[in-house]
Amino acid sequence: MDRGALVVSIVTAIILLATAATGTPLWTVPEAGADQAPLGQGSASVSVVSMPDTATLDPGRQGGDVYYLRVPDATVDVSQLRGNPILTYSIDIDGLGYSTSSVNALANTGEGQTSLSISDVALEEDRLTQDRYEGELRLVLRGDGEETVVYSEPITIEVTG
């Protein structure tokens, strides 16, 4: 073995032994999202592209005395994204004393158009006393300790079946 290769081998061995002895890795791979700002920190500009006018309470397929609240998706356009603000898509139904929402970390969706969903929710049939309910549909942006109502409008919830 020539002298240069021997020196490289010795230096490599010393580095590997020192690394093994101290438990210090030679390099680290960042965790997924490690460079992401904390949830709720940052800001964005959010504009509404489309929001539903109605939602429904549909009977379950197997009977079971439950109805499912189904809220169509909303579409928004996100720009000037900085950090990881959150956007909450929610529906409140005062006549049922019920509300539900989804929380969306905007760092995960990025800039551009994005669709927001509220998962279907089961409600007991005996809670329903009307054919139609009025509610409020809201989009709220939270970031850097501030809360901005992007959208807040009435919505009709139709009981089907």
Side-chain angles (χ1 to χ4, degrees):
M1 179 182 277
D2 73 311
R3 187 177 177 139
L6 181 62
V7 170
V8 170
S9 295
I10 291 172
V11 170
T12 302
I14 290 170
I15 292 172
L16 290 174
L17 287 172
T19 300
T22 62
T24 305
L26 287 174
W27 66 86
T28 59
V29 177
E31 295 179 26
D35 59 342
Q36 211 171 69
L39 190 61
Q41 295 297 312
S43 63
S45 177
V46 177
S47 59
V48 174
V49 175
S50 68
M51 294 291 285
D53 294 329
T54 61
T56 58
L57 281 160
D58 301 324
R61 292 183 184 174
Q62 307 297 325
D65 299 330
V66 296
Y67 275 67
Y68 289 92
L69 173 61
R70 295 195 167 101
V71 181
D73 291 351
T75 304
V76 297
D77 188 55
V78 177
S79 61
Q80 301 174 9
L81 179 61
R82 182 187 59 76
N84 194 11
I86 58 175
L87 185 61
T88 305
Y89 178 35
S90 63
I91 185 169
D92 300 318
I93 310 169
D94 288 340
L96 292 172
Y98 186 79
S99 97
T100 189
S101 63
S102 66
V103 177
N104 304 274
L106 293 183
N108 293 338
T109 63
E111 291 189 354
Q113 282 194 5
T114 190
S115 183
L116 307 172
S117 301
I118 294 177
S119 297
D120 292 352
V121 178
L123 296 171
E124 300 290 326
E125 181 180 19
D126 60 2
R127 290 182 70 178
L128 307 179
T129 58
Q130 304 172 161
D131 294 336
R132 169 184 309 195
Y133 292 89
E134 295 302 316
E136 183 177 3
L137 203 57
R138 294 171 45 99
L139 288 174
V140 178
L141 178 66
R142 291 179 178 87
D144 289 343
E146 306 227 348
E147 183 175 292
T148 304
V149 177
V150 176
Y151 181 91
S152 181
E153 293 290 329
I155 186 169
T156 301
I157 301 95
E158 299 282 344
V159 180
T160 66

PDB file of all heavy atoms in Angstrom, residues 5-19 26:
ATOM      1  N   ALA A   5      -2.334   6.306   0.560  1.00  0.00           N
ATOM      2  CA  ALA A   5      -3.494   5.471   0.862  1.00  0.00           C
ATOM      3  C   ALA A   5      -3.481   5.044   2.319  1.00  0.00           C
ATOM      4  O   ALA A   5      -4.523   4.935   2.962  1.00  0.00           O
ATOM      5  CB  ALA A   5      -3.519   4.261  -0.063  1.00  0.00           C
ATOM      6  N   LEU A   6      -2.270   4.798   2.869  1.00  0.00           N
ATOM      7  CA  LEU A   6      -2.146   4.407   4.267  1.00  0.00           C
ATOM      8  C   LEU A   6      -2.593   5.542   5.181  1.00  0.00           C
ATOM      9  O   LEU A   6      -3.312   5.321   6.151  1.00  0.00           O
ATOM     10  CB  LEU A   6      -0.686   4.008   4.568  1.00  0.00           C
ATOM     11  CG  LEU A   6      -0.403   3.562   5.991  1.00  0.00           C
ATOM     12  CD1 LEU A   6      -1.223   2.313   6.325  1.00  0.00           C
ATOM     13  CD2 LEU A   6       1.077   3.279   6.176  1.00  0.00           C
ATOM     14  N   VAL A   7      -2.195   6.769   4.865  1.00  0.00           N
ATOM     15  CA  VAL A   7      -2.589   7.939   5.673  1.00  0.00           C
ATOM     16  C   VAL A   7      -4.109   8.107   5.641  1.00  0.00           C
ATOM     17  O   VAL A   7      -4.745   8.324   6.682  1.00  0.00           O
ATOM     18  CB  VAL A   7      -1.870   9.213   5.184  1.00  0.00           C
ATOM     19  CG1 VAL A   7      -2.446  10.463   5.840  1.00  0.00           C
ATOM     20  CG2 VAL A   7      -0.381   9.121   5.439  1.00  0.00           C
ATOM     21  N   VAL A   8      -4.723   8.002   4.455  1.00  0.00           N
ATOM     22  CA  VAL A   8      -6.182   8.125   4.328  1.00  0.00           C
ATOM     23  C   VAL A   8      -6.874   7.030   5.140  1.00  0.00           C
ATOM     24  O   VAL A   8      -7.856   7.272   5.848  1.00  0.00           O
ATOM     25  CB  VAL A   8      -6.606   8.085   2.845  1.00  0.00           C
ATOM     26  CG1 VAL A   8      -8.112   7.958   2.704  1.00  0.00           C
ATOM     27  CG2 VAL A   8      -6.113   9.328   2.121  1.00  0.00           C
ATOM     28  N   SER A   9      -6.385   5.813   5.090  1.00  0.00           N
ATOM     29  CA  SER A   9      -6.976   4.703   5.838  1.00  0.00           C
ATOM     30  C   SER A   9      -6.881   4.929   7.342  1.00  0.00           C
ATOM     31  O   SER A   9      -7.835   4.669   8.080  1.00  0.00           O
ATOM     32  CB  SER A   9      -6.284   3.384   5.476  1.00  0.00           C
ATOM     33  OG  SER A   9      -6.516   3.073   4.130  1.00  0.00           O
ATOM     34  N   ILE A  10      -5.735   5.428   7.809  1.00  0.00           N
ATOM     35  CA  ILE A  10      -5.556   5.676   9.244  1.00  0.00           C
ATOM     36  C   ILE A  10      -6.479   6.801   9.712  1.00  0.00           C
ATOM     37  O   ILE A  10      -7.139   6.688  10.743  1.00  0.00           O
ATOM     38  CB  ILE A  10      -4.070   5.990   9.561  1.00  0.00           C
ATOM     39  CG1 ILE A  10      -3.221   4.726   9.371  1.00  0.00           C
ATOM     40  CG2 ILE A  10      -3.913   6.528  10.975  1.00  0.00           C
ATOM     41  CD1 ILE A  10      -1.738   4.943   9.469  1.00  0.00           C
ATOM     42  N   VAL A  11      -6.537   7.891   8.950  1.00  0.00           N
ATOM     43  CA  VAL A  11      -7.411   9.015   9.319  1.00  0.00           C
ATOM     44  C   VAL A  11      -8.867   8.569   9.336  1.00  0.00           C
ATOM     45  O   VAL A  11      -9.632   8.892  10.257  1.00  0.00           O
ATOM     46  CB  VAL A  11      -7.196  10.214   8.368  1.00  0.00           C
ATOM     47  CG1 VAL A  11      -8.252  11.288   8.581  1.00  0.00           C
ATOM     48  CG2 VAL A  11      -5.806  10.789   8.550  1.00  0.00           C
ATOM     49  N   THR A  12      -9.293   7.793   8.337  1.00  0.00           N
ATOM     50  CA  THR A  12     -10.670   7.285   8.282  1.00  0.00           C
ATOM     51  C   THR A  12     -10.955   6.404   9.481  1.00  0.00           C
ATOM     52  O   THR A  12     -12.020   6.506  10.109  1.00  0.00           O
ATOM     53  CB  THR A  12     -10.900   6.507   6.966  1.00  0.00           C
ATOM     54  OG1 THR A  12     -10.630   7.368   5.864  1.00  0.00           O
ATOM     55  CG2 THR A  12     -12.321   5.985   6.878  1.00  0.00           C
ATOM     56  N   ALA A  13     -10.029   5.530   9.837  1.00  0.00           N
ATOM     57  CA  ALA A  13     -10.211   4.650  10.988  1.00  0.00           C
ATOM     58  C   ALA A  13     -10.337   5.447  12.276  1.00  0.00           C
ATOM     59  O   ALA A  13     -11.178   5.144  13.134  1.00  0.00           O
ATOM     60  CB  ALA A  13      -9.051   3.656  11.075  1.00  0.00           C
ATOM     61  N   ILE A  14      -9.510   6.497  12.436  1.00  0.00           N
ATOM     62  CA  ILE A  14      -9.569   7.335  13.640  1.00  0.00           C
ATOM     63  C   ILE A  14     -10.937   8.031  13.730  1.00  0.00           C
ATOM     64  O   ILE A  14     -11.560   8.061  14.788  1.00  0.00           O
ATOM     65  CB  ILE A  14      -8.413   8.361  13.654  1.00  0.00           C
ATOM     66  CG1 ILE A  14      -7.081   7.633  13.886  1.00  0.00           C
ATOM     67  CG2 ILE A  14      -8.635   9.423  14.725  1.00  0.00           C
ATOM     68  CD1 ILE A  14      -5.863   8.505  13.684  1.00  0.00           C
ATOM     69  N   ILE A  15     -11.404   8.567  12.600  1.00  0.00           N
ATOM     70  CA  ILE A  15     -12.719   9.251  12.589  1.00  0.00           C
ATOM     71  C   ILE A  15     -13.825   8.272  12.939  1.00  0.00           C
ATOM     72  O   ILE A  15     -14.703   8.566  13.758  1.00  0.00           O
ATOM     73  CB  ILE A  15     -12.976   9.924  11.220  1.00  0.00           C
ATOM     74  CG1 ILE A  15     -12.011  11.096  11.029  1.00  0.00           C
ATOM     75  CG2 ILE A  15     -14.431  10.386  11.105  1.00  0.00           C
ATOM     76  CD1 ILE A  15     -12.046  11.700   9.640  1.00  0.00           C
ATOM     77  N   LEU A  16     -13.806   7.077  12.355  1.00  0.00           N
ATOM     78  CA  LEU A  16     -14.836   6.079  12.637  1.00  0.00           C
ATOM     79  C   LEU A  16     -14.796   5.629  14.085  1.00  0.00           C
ATOM     80  O   LEU A  16     -15.836   5.467  14.733  1.00  0.00           O
ATOM     81  CB  LEU A  16     -14.695   4.882  11.693  1.00  0.00           C
ATOM     82  CG  LEU A  16     -15.052   5.154  10.231  1.00  0.00           C
ATOM     83  CD1 LEU A  16     -14.738   3.934   9.364  1.00  0.00           C
ATOM     84  CD2 LEU A  16     -16.514   5.545  10.097  1.00  0.00           C
ATOM     85  N   LEU A  17     -13.596   5.409  14.639  1.00  0.00           N
ATOM     86  CA  LEU A  17     -13.480   5.003  16.044  1.00  0.00           C
ATOM     87  C   LEU A  17     -13.958   6.112  16.979  1.00  0.00           C
ATOM     88  O   LEU A  17     -14.652   5.842  17.956  1.00  0.00           O
ATOM     89  CB  LEU A  17     -12.033   4.616  16.361  1.00  0.00           C
ATOM     90  CG  LEU A  17     -11.566   3.282  15.777  1.00  0.00           C
ATOM     91  CD1 LEU A  17     -10.073   3.097  15.989  1.00  0.00           C
ATOM     92  CD2 LEU A  17     -12.348   2.134  16.390  1.00  0.00           C
ATOM     93  N   ALA A  18     -13.581   7.355  16.687  1.00  0.00           N
ATOM     94  CA  ALA A  18     -14.024   8.472  17.517  1.00  0.00           C
ATOM     95  C   ALA A  18     -15.541   8.629  17.457  1.00  0.00           C
ATOM     96  O   ALA A  18     -16.199   8.883  18.466  1.00  0.00           O
ATOM     97  CB  ALA A  18     -13.334   9.764  17.073  1.00  0.00           C
ATOM     98  N   THR A  19     -16.085   8.453  16.281  1.00  0.00           N
ATOM     99  CA  THR A  19     -17.540   8.538  16.120  1.00  0.00           C
ATOM    100  C   THR A  19     -18.238   7.442  16.899  1.00  0.00           C
ATOM    101  O   THR A  19     -19.215   7.682  17.612  1.00  0.00           O
ATOM    102  CB  THR A  19     -17.920   8.450  14.625  1.00  0.00           C
ATOM    103  OG1 THR A  19     -17.296   9.531  13.935  1.00  0.00           O
ATOM    104  CG2 THR A  19     -19.417   8.519  14.433  1.00  0.00           C
ATOM    105  N   LEU A  26     -21.812  10.682  12.036  1.00  0.00           N
ATOM    106  CA  LEU A  26     -21.028  11.400  11.036  1.00  0.00           C
ATOM    107  C   LEU A  26     -21.877  12.462  10.343  1.00  0.00           C
ATOM    108  O   LEU A  26     -21.397  13.512   9.975  1.00  0.00           O
ATOM    109  CB  LEU A  26     -20.479  10.427   9.981  1.00  0.00           C
ATOM    110  CG  LEU A  26     -19.347   9.526  10.438  1.00  0.00           C
ATOM    111  CD1 LEU A  26     -19.010   8.527   9.343  1.00  0.00           C
ATOM    112  CD2 LEU A  26     -18.128  10.352  10.779  1.00  0.00           C
TER     113      LEU A  26
END
